[in-house]
Amino acid sequence: LIDQVLKFYVKLNFELNESVLMGGFDWARVQFAENEGMAFSLSLGGSYGKLILSLFRIIMITAIIWYIRQSISALAPGGFITALALIAAGAIGNIIDSAIYGLIFTESIPGQGPAHLISAGESGYGTFLHGKVVDMLFFPITDIHLPDWLPVWGGENMLFFGAIFNIADAAITCGIM
């Protein structure tokens, strides 16, 4: 629920690529990005790739939910069930974006203001299972100085975490960890 509320807020109030500092910190931002594929903006390419990815997600969510039910019946440890539930909840959060956002929102285009919910007679930017996943959490910590002795990157400042992600992605990551 938190994931979807935050995604709706960002989609309706931010222009694509717009960034706002969190708490005044340069290393913590809400930055609106859209992801057509999977983690780290990887994709299978084309509309068929997007469809295959969306169908794969639905099959995996179904399998995980079935496995959670079996694990509960088998009295599996609560931590294990919680981890599976985090993965399933995160996957559901992202599949909601892919399944319906293209149907209910106008396209987000840099420099043209925030998207809006479509009204009667208006079309969304995509079709069922072809929506884009909304990402918004960005923590570009760049104050990490790599030691001079390190091959290739020695002496350079490193961008510690350059990925833009959402609450669903964080749930999946925590569940896997």
Side-chain angles (χ1 to χ4, degrees):
L1 182 62
I2 293 168
D3 176 65
Q4 287 301 309
V5 168
L6 187 55
K7 287 175 179 176
F8 261 71
Y9 177 79
V10 167
K11 184 86 173 150
L12 295 172
N13 292 283
F14 282 65
E15 259 186 37
L16 191 61
N17 300 324
E18 182 179 352
S19 180
V20 174
L21 300 180
M22 286 192 274
F25 299 107
D26 190 44
W27 56 266
R29 303 177 190 173
V30 173
Q31 183 167 327
F32 178 29
E34 288 184 312
N35 180 340
E36 296 210 35
M38 46 194 145
F40 307 110
S41 297
L42 299 173
S43 66
L44 297 177
S47 64
Y48 287 115
K50 178 68 175 170
L51 180 62
I52 290 167
L53 179 61
S54 293
L55 292 173
F56 174 75
R57 284 178 177 156
I58 292 169
I59 292 167
M60 291 308 299
I61 291 167
T62 304
I64 291 170
I65 291 171
W66 174 85
Y67 192 62
I68 289 171
R69 292 178 56 119
Q70 297 301 313
S71 298
I72 291 170
S73 296
L75 302 175
F80 179 69
I81 293 169
T82 301
L84 290 174
L86 284 168
I87 294 167
I92 289 168
N94 285 335
I95 197 65
I96 289 170
D97 296 22
S98 292
I100 65 169
Y101 278 25
L103 299 171
I104 66 171
F105 286 111
T106 58
E107 184 154 15
S108 296
I109 300 171
Q112 294 192 8
H116 63 271
L117 288 167
I118 62 165
S119 51
E122 193 175 19
S123 295
Y125 70 84
T127 58
F128 182 64
L129 295 179
H130 286 88
K132 297 174 187 173
V133 175
V134 174
D135 292 324
M136 78 293 292
L137 300 174
F138 186 39
F139 299 97
I141 301 170
T142 56
D143 293 335
I144 298 173
H145 185 76
L146 299 175
D148 292 330
W149 55 263
L150 191 69
V152 183
W153 300 285
E156 295 182 12
N157 285 334
M158 182 183 96
L159 176 61
F160 173 69
F161 193 72
I164 302 173
F165 61 100
N166 57 45
I167 302 292
D169 297 334
I172 293 168
T173 302
C174 289
I176 290 171
M177 289 175 25

